[in-house]
Amino acid sequence: MDYKDTLELPNTTFPMRGNLPQNEPKIYQEWGKSEYYERILKNRENAKESFNLHDGPPYANGHLHIGHALNKILKDIINKYHYFQGKKIFYTPGWDCHGLPIEQQVEKKLGKEKKDSLSKGKIRELCRKHAQEFVEIQKKEFLELGILGDFENPYKTMDFAFESEIYKALCEVAKKGLLKERSKPVYWSWACQTALAEAEVEYEEKESDSVFVAFALKEDALATIGAKEAGLDQAYCVIWTTTPWTLPANSGIALNPKETYALTSDGKIVLHSEVEKLSALNVVENKVLKTFEAHILENTHAINPLNGRDSKIILGEHVASGEGSGCVHTAPGHGEDDYFIGLKYDLPMLMPVDDKGCYDETLIREKLFFNPDEFVGKFVFDTHPRIFELLGKNLLRHTKIRHSYPHCWRSHQPIIFRATQQWFIVMDEPFSKEGKTLREIALAEIDKTKFFPDHGRNRIRTMIENRPDWCISRQRDWGVPIAFFKDKRSGEVLLESEVLDFVAEIFEKEGCDAWWNKEVKDLLPQKYQKDSEHFEKIYHILDVWFDSGSTWKAVLQSNLYKSGGYPASLYLEGSDQHRGWFHSSLLVSCAVNERAPYKAIVTHGFTMDEKGEKMSKSKGNVIVPKEVLKEFGSEILRLWVAMSDYQNDQRISNNILKQVGENYRKIRNTIRFLLANTNGLESLEVTSFNPIDLWILKSARECFERVNTLFGEYEFSKAIQELTYFLNTELSGIYLDICKDNLYCNALSSKERRASQSVMALICGRLFGLLAPIFTYTINEALSHTQSKAVLESCGITKGGDVFEILYTPLPSFEGLHLNFDELLELRGVFLEQIDILKKDAKIKSTLEVDLSVPQKKIEFAELNLWLMVSNVRKEAEGEVLAEFTFGGENYKILRAQGHKCPRCWQFISQKADEPCGRCQKVLEGR
């Protein structure tokens, strides 16, 4: 007789291989439809709790890279986690559509000359078309990752209504008195010909000219230090700078008011503490004639050697004592500290540099060189050799140094500091009812926000504490205009609510292209039109960070989107957004509403290759999401995200993805085994659980609780580690292995078998709920192959078999477990060590070939033979002893099994050779 045909072998249509690259796209196409998303939202319409993750807009330019995938998959896992916990979720994906990179791409296609010949309206039309093209490309690529969201109605910052909301946010800031126009040094990208915000500046290595220059003292300064009494006809302040091109614009020399200065024997004035070091560099002689406090020189004068203009000696706390000479060259038109100290001392603010970084006619008008004509039109960095010639003997030392220097994040060219007429959001002007400043409110809101990881709080806090006023104006074509009118008669800006609201309404209907396309009179309400000739438009556009920083208003407060309430439950982006989107969103929200737009912030690191190196095409180490999907499928990429310690930089490569694929296959096969062995189980049998059943249920409950808690804290890698350990070691490695005899050999109606099936159904259903946020496709596929009502009910599904019907609930607790399974696990480990030795020595092939002689108290555990998977457990030690071991101070003997091998269940418990054992005989008779 072929006994195999009499066994109840596992049966499922759920395939071992997922064929993910082929099968996922069909399902994702369905999930991307708006009606499907609506149905999902309807599943939770009666939920008591809600969760909304406000999407930080990716830039609509270029295909997705692996960093995009990490970001969007993390968001998706978090959204789905809250959904499967029973909450109402809202997720409106969005795109940043304005800004310089898009404009540069359009310029690249057209050519600079052709672009310059087109109207602003046409350029903006082309930019809009370019952005829309990449919104559609990126949308399709996001859906291929299995992302769930309202992709049929995403937000785009270039939509007319959205542009109007951005403008309204700007108007609110202006009405609060926080918007100021002034001439102030800003980061200036000569390569892109625009001002930059702090978030648009990156620090890179640069080689610079380092010079020490002597400024001769005028009579008032010479008299103050008693130069003649010291035997000197002339004395000099020695300044140090790494930007010699700013020397023509010098109008002051700053000394540290708390430091002592020295007059050396060659008539040089430097910090007393620096004389020895500067002497070693041949800048000064190492002999001090006299020392004096800095304040005695305040408001006296030196002479700029390039033009003979006065340079006022002033005092400034910003003067460092550990570098240079302690005499700081001050050009208020070219530096933040210089600007503020210049205001205090009423220094001339000279700024002789144009948008392209070249000297302009100001040199001639202000006589900033003795022979200014030769410099006009020259790029400032190229003028250093000639400046050094003109300095002559006043150039005391010239060297090259490498140092960290600010660069434009788009062009990667070094920037310059340049005073221009710009719009600023001021940080330190009291405006709230309590008299608090924007900086104070923002810092207080940071303290109320939850951060994952927590040290993110300190990072953004330090940035807010130290940041200057926010320069929000740009000199480009593609963006939302700072659409204000200036009265040509008074120079005042017209900020009447009626005017601002009228412009906002036009933008809502026609988009902000209208600012360029319409005449002034057509943009003013009726009562202002008679004076339209006296008003002029301001043509600056908004910093794109203001666009994205006001998305909370346009998305969460406008009722244009199904996006949940304000403030958002969560913002999630890369750690660089502490200085970017988190930062700008916080400032705009605090300026308008005096609160943060988010309750919590999650940050992730960046993606690297498997060696920890940055990805680049030249290295050939770039991993493209599309290629990963083609080879592995999105589930593998999603598991890579979940397994990653995403708060730090992540490594990814084909080898790493193959390892992740192995983990996926183990999880998939565990699910397959559970489905195969619960096939047809309609209801649970919970009254017949044996101690092993109760143990695995307790272990599963404790593991799932820990995993669920870790998911709620967004600690996905720790959760996956916990879960895979349980699945591989305790569930598959022990319990499912133990259960095979029961499942395959016992009668279908047996209570023992149905109890094991019930355990599996309970665990399988909860496992589906836990894994659904990560493996949404796989769990959906598994549900379509689930032939057990008990498994579906364990998932919270009462009808159908769609993954989005799942509602996760904790495993119930079952009473009756009194045995010490920690001890039993130890016993099992010691026993299996002996078995391994016996197998290596070819004495046995399977644990079923042995009986185990145990102490009396272990006989009380009736299922010990199942636990150790031996044929019999007995007290006496008769027969052939194969091995002995001691555990817990007592002796155990492994004996060759006394019975005959059952041809059906393979246990050595039959009375006669080649005959079924008693249990199998009974099952066969009942068939």
Side-chain angles (χ1 to χ4, degrees):
M1 181 177 182
D2 189 352
Y3 289 105
K4 185 181 177 184
D5 295 336
T6 72
L7 299 174
E8 300 299 338
L9 294 174
N11 181 22
T12 181
T13 54
F14 183 58
M16 189 178 292
R17 293 185 176 278
N19 292 324
L20 301 174
Q22 291 76 39
N23 295 332
E24 288 171 338
K26 306 166 201 167
I27 299 299
Y28 289 161
Q29 197 171 1
E30 185 67 22
W31 290 355
K33 293 176 182 174
S34 57
E35 56 267 28
Y36 194 88
Y37 185 70
E38 289 293 326
R39 201 171 88 218
I40 291 169
L41 293 185
K42 200 170 181 185
N43 288 343
R44 299 288 187 262
E45 62 184 350
N46 298 319
K48 292 177 182 176
E49 289 185 77
S50 66
F51 176 85
N52 69 322
L53 191 158
H54 179 43
D55 196 25
Y59 198 63
N61 189 25
H63 288 268
L64 299 188
H65 54 68
I66 204 71
H68 285 121
L70 170 67
N71 177 271
K72 271 292 196 287
I73 289 171
L74 264 178
K75 289 174 180 173
D76 192 59
I77 291 172
I78 288 173
N79 279 329
K80 287 174 180 171
Y81 165 76
H82 288 285
Y83 174 84
F84 290 118
Q85 296 292 307
K87 294 179 189 173
K88 189 186 296 185
I89 64 159
F90 301 93
Y91 180 59
T92 302
W95 275 270
D96 231 337
C97 302
H98 296 128
L100 183 60
I102 287 171
E103 194 175 331
Q104 285 175 327
Q105 287 300 314
V106 168
E107 186 176 293
K108 197 174 172 183
K109 287 179 190 174
L110 291 171
K112 183 79 168 69
E113 287 181 17
K114 188 174 179 185
K115 180 182 179 251
D116 290 344
S117 69
L118 296 175
S119 68
K120 279 192 186 285
K122 184 61 181 174
I123 292 166
R124 289 173 63 83
E125 180 190 324
L126 293 170
C127 288
R128 190 178 296 278
K129 186 179 175 185
H130 178 93
Q132 185 58 43
E133 178 188 338
F134 279 99
V135 165
E136 292 306 315
I137 287 170
Q138 291 185 1
K139 170 184 165 181
K140 181 174 177 288
E141 290 174 346
F142 281 135
L143 287 170
E144 288 170 351
L145 298 171
I147 310 299
L148 180 71
D150 194 1
F151 278 95
E152 290 297 304
N153 187 32
Y155 76 81
K156 292 173 282 183
T157 58
M158 67 181 180
D159 286 344
F160 292 170
F162 207 106
E163 289 182 332
S164 177
E165 289 296 327
I166 294 168
Y167 177 67
K168 287 176 189 174
L170 175 69
C171 294
E172 288 297 316
V173 174
K175 288 173 188 176
K176 297 284 179 78
L178 293 174
L179 201 59
K180 306 289 182 186
E181 187 186 25
R182 60 179 181 230
S183 184
K184 180 177 180 288
V186 292
Y187 296 113
W188 185 269
S189 173
W190 50 267
C192 298
Q193 296 178 44
T194 185
L196 300 176
E198 199 172 5
E200 296 171 310
V201 173
E202 294 177 341
Y203 283 81
E204 298 176 22
E205 281 284 302
K206 177 183 181 291
E207 185 177 76
S208 294
D209 289 297
S210 167
V211 294
F212 288 91
V213 179
F215 277 54
L217 299 188
K218 292 191 77 171
E219 287 300 325
D220 57 351
L222 288 169
T224 299
I225 62 167
K228 287 185 178 174
E229 291 85 334
L232 297 171
D233 292 328
Q234 187 52 272
Y236 306 83
C237 265
V238 177
I239 68 93
W240 171 71
T241 183
T242 56
T243 55
W245 62 269
T246 63
L247 286 171
N250 171 280
S251 56
I253 298 171
L255 310 184
N256 189 318
K258 296 177 181 176
E259 293 289 337
T260 301
Y261 284 76
L263 176 64
T264 61
S265 55
D266 56 345
K268 307 295 189 333
I269 293 172
V270 293
L271 266 175
H272 186 216
S273 59
E274 297 297 306
V275 170
E276 192 172 332
K277 186 173 22 172
L278 293 172
S279 170
L281 298 174
N282 294 319
V283 175
V284 301
E285 289 181 359
N286 194 10
K287 183 181 178 185
V288 175
L289 297 180
K290 63 190 302 184
T291 60
F292 55 88
E293 298 302 309
H295 66 84
I296 69 168
L297 279 173
E298 185 178 19
N299 292 320
T300 62
H301 299 84
I303 303 167
N304 188 330
L306 289 174
N307 52 34
R309 293 171 62 104
D310 282 0
S311 183
K312 186 186 282 189
I313 300 174
I314 57 179
L315 304 179
E317 299 281 351
H318 66 286
V319 177
S321 57
E323 59 181 14
S325 63
C327 304
V328 174
H329 150 57
T330 301
H334 292 297
E336 180 90 4
D337 290 331
D338 299 34
Y339 169 77
F340 285 112
I341 200 74
L343 288 178
K344 180 180 175 182
Y345 283 94
D346 196 26
L347 299 181
M349 187 165 69
L350 305 165
M351 208 293 294
V353 181
D354 67 15
D355 291 0
K356 296 176 183 176
C358 298
Y359 283 130
D360 63 17
E361 298 286 336
T362 309
L363 289 181
I364 299 172
R365 189 172 61 252
E366 297 290 343
K367 299 176 182 174
L368 300 185
F369 282 105
F370 289 117
N371 298 300
D373 297 51
E374 66 173 297
F375 287 94
V376 174
K378 290 195 173 175
F379 183 52
V380 291
F381 289 170
D382 295 340
T383 61
H384 286 178
R386 180 60 179 144
I387 288 174
F388 300 154
E389 285 178 26
L390 294 174
L391 284 171
K393 65 180 182 181
N394 292 84
L395 180 60
L396 304 177
R397 179 178 171 82
H398 168 225
T399 55
K400 297 277 189 181
I401 63 166
R402 293 200 66 80
H403 62 148
S404 179
Y405 188 87
H407 285 63
C408 169
W409 76 330
R410 294 295 183 197
S411 67
H412 299 289
Q413 293 294 333
I415 58 100
I416 58 176
F417 288 91
R418 177 174 179 265
T420 56
Q421 207 55 23
Q422 303 289 345
W423 288 88
F424 295 86
I425 294 176
V426 294
M427 294 296 296
D428 298 308
E429 194 146 317
F431 75 99
S432 71
K433 289 177 183 176
E434 294 79 21
K436 291 184 177 178
T437 66
L438 179 55
R439 195 186 307 276
E440 287 168 340
I441 292 169
L443 289 171
E445 287 301 303
I446 287 169
D447 292 340
K448 295 176 190 173
T449 303
K450 194 167 185 180
F451 285 83
F452 303 89
D454 192 58
H455 60 72
R457 181 194 320 280
N458 296 334
R459 190 170 180 200
I460 192 170
R461 193 171 219 294
T462 301
M463 289 173 177
I464 295 291
E465 281 174 341
N466 298 318
R467 67 154 298 127
D469 293 341
W470 180 8
C471 176
I472 61 163
S473 49
R474 297 291 179 271
Q475 292 67 48
R476 302 301 299 181
D477 296 331
W478 179 227
V480 175
I482 298 178
F484 299 142
F485 296 101
K486 187 174 278 188
D487 192 324
K488 290 186 273 189
R489 296 163 296 185
S490 65
E492 293 294 313
V493 177
L494 186 61
L495 293 176
E496 296 296 324
S497 291
E498 188 181 349
V499 175
L500 302 179
D501 293 345
F502 188 76
V503 172
E505 282 177 30
I506 292 173
F507 286 0
E508 190 170 345
K509 292 171 190 167
E510 304 176 38
C512 57
D513 292 356
W515 189 248
W516 287 271
N517 298 339
K518 288 181 178 288
E519 299 294 324
V520 169
K521 64 181 176 60
D522 300 323
L523 292 163
L524 286 165
Q526 187 67 41
K527 78 176 192 182
Y528 291 91
Q529 287 184 2
K530 65 181 187 304
D531 293 322
S532 63
E533 66 187 76
H534 299 301
F535 293 107
E536 62 182 354
K537 299 178 198 174
I538 291 169
Y539 281 111
H540 293 238
I541 64 162
L542 272 169
D543 172 14
V544 75
W545 287 107
F546 190 96
D547 283 26
S548 56
S550 57
T551 55
W552 54 266
K553 183 179 189 303
V555 178
L556 304 180
Q557 290 192 314
S558 68
N559 296 319
L560 295 170
Y561 309 91
K562 291 176 181 174
S563 54
Y566 167 89
S569 306
L570 187 69
Y571 275 31
L572 184 159
E573 299 301 328
S575 55
D576 58 330
Q577 296 306 317
H578 286 111
R579 68 176 186 139
W581 190 54
F582 301 149
H583 195 118
S584 62
S585 299
L586 176 68
L587 292 184
V588 178
S589 185
C590 287
V592 175
N593 293 331
E594 297 181 29
R595 68 150 306 153
Y598 35 67
K599 296 176 186 174
I601 281 177
V602 172
T603 53
H604 61 78
F606 300 98
T607 49
M608 307 288 183
D609 71 7
E610 63 184 329
K611 295 176 183 173
E613 294 179 2
K614 193 175 179 181
M615 293 186 192
S616 71
K617 288 179 182 175
S618 61
K619 289 181 185 173
N621 63 349
V622 175
I623 300 290
V624 181
K626 217 165 188 55
E627 295 303 314
V628 175
L629 300 189
K630 200 183 291 181
E631 184 173 351
F632 297 97
S634 74
E635 295 285 74
I636 307 305
L637 197 53
R638 293 174 69 88
L639 181 56
W640 168 75
V641 172
M643 290 175 67
S644 298
D645 178 15
Y646 66 83
Q647 292 173 356
N648 296 303
D649 291 345
Q650 297 311 303
R651 299 185 181 199
I652 187 169
S653 67
N654 263 30
N655 287 332
I656 290 169
L657 288 168
K658 283 174 185 173
Q659 292 165 18
V660 173
E662 282 303 311
N663 287 336
Y664 171 80
R665 276 186 281 281
K666 286 178 184 176
I667 294 170
R668 184 181 179 94
N669 285 335
T670 300
I671 291 170
R672 187 170 184 273
F673 188 92
L674 292 170
L675 289 180
N677 286 286
T678 53
N679 204 349
L681 183 68
E682 290 292 302
S683 60
L684 298 174
E685 170 58 66
V686 298
T687 59
S688 302
F689 290 150
N690 66 34
I692 300 174
D693 296 330
L694 293 172
W695 162 74
I696 197 64
L697 285 168
K698 179 175 180 287
S699 291
R701 187 178 74 254
E702 290 172 353
C703 171
F704 291 177
E705 280 177 6
R706 286 193 301 272
V707 168
N708 201 41
T709 299
L710 287 167
F711 275 174
E713 294 166 352
Y714 312 135
E715 293 279 7
F716 301 113
S717 64
K718 290 179 184 175
I720 292 295
Q721 281 176 11
E722 288 260 0
L723 189 59
T724 51
Y725 177 82
F726 167 75
L727 294 178
N728 295 337
T729 306
E730 294 183 332
L731 184 65
S732 297
I734 300 176
Y735 183 76
L736 298 183
D737 208 21
I738 287 171
C739 285
K740 287 174 183 174
D741 176 76
N742 179 12
L743 293 165
Y744 303 168
C745 301
N746 276 335
L748 271 175
S749 59
S750 114
K751 285 189 174 182
E752 293 86 356
R753 186 177 190 278
R754 290 196 61 230
S756 290
Q757 284 185 298
S758 298
V759 167
M760 292 183 196
L762 285 165
I763 289 174
C764 186
R766 269 47 178 218
L767 186 60
F768 282 1
L770 277 180
L771 289 175
I774 301 165
F775 294 142
T776 320
Y777 167 81
T778 300
I779 301 306
N780 189 67
E781 183 194 2
L783 284 171
S784 70
H785 294 276
T786 299
Q787 300 298 316
S788 165
K789 189 179 176 185
V791 170
L792 293 175
E793 287 177 356
S794 181
C795 301
I797 295 176
T798 52
K799 58 180 180 179
D802 184 300
V803 66
F804 293 106
E805 303 291 329
I806 289 176
L807 178 64
Y808 178 79
T809 55
L811 266 170
S813 178
F814 294 95
E815 301 297 323
L817 182 61
H818 305 300
L819 291 168
N820 183 348
F821 265 84
D822 289 338
E823 184 183 290
L824 287 168
L825 283 165
E826 284 184 52
L827 172 60
R828 195 171 189 274
V830 174
F831 168 72
L832 289 176
E833 283 176 13
Q834 297 297 317
I835 291 296
D836 282 344
I837 295 168
L838 292 175
K839 285 180 178 179
K840 282 175 186 172
D841 293 343
K843 291 184 178 178
I844 62 169
K845 293 180 181 177
S846 160
T847 54
L848 293 177
E849 294 176 35
V850 305
D851 293 345
L852 186 65
S853 166
V854 301
Q856 176 61 41
K857 66 175 184 178
K858 284 292 181 284
I859 297 289
E860 294 165 12
F861 178 23
E863 291 79 11
L864 185 58
N865 63 315
L866 298 177
W867 181 245
L868 299 177
M869 296 174 68
V870 297
S871 285
N872 201 2
V873 169
R874 46 196 170 99
K875 185 182 178 184
E876 72 280 358
E878 296 173 1
E880 182 187 351
V881 177
L882 298 174
E884 297 183 60
F885 63 92
T886 302
F887 177 77
E890 298 190 86
N891 294 325
Y892 292 77
K893 291 182 180 178
I894 298 173
L895 312 166
R896 193 169 297 281
Q898 284 183 330
H900 295 280
K901 183 178 181 180
C902 171
R904 184 170 180 269
C905 70
W906 295 2
Q907 291 192 57
F908 284 72
I909 54 175
S910 292
Q911 297 297 314
K912 294 181 181 177
D914 300 322
E915 286 190 6
C917 64
R919 185 267 308 261
C920 287
Q921 188 61 46
K922 194 173 178 182
V923 171
L924 290 169
E925 288 168 0
R927 284 175 66 84

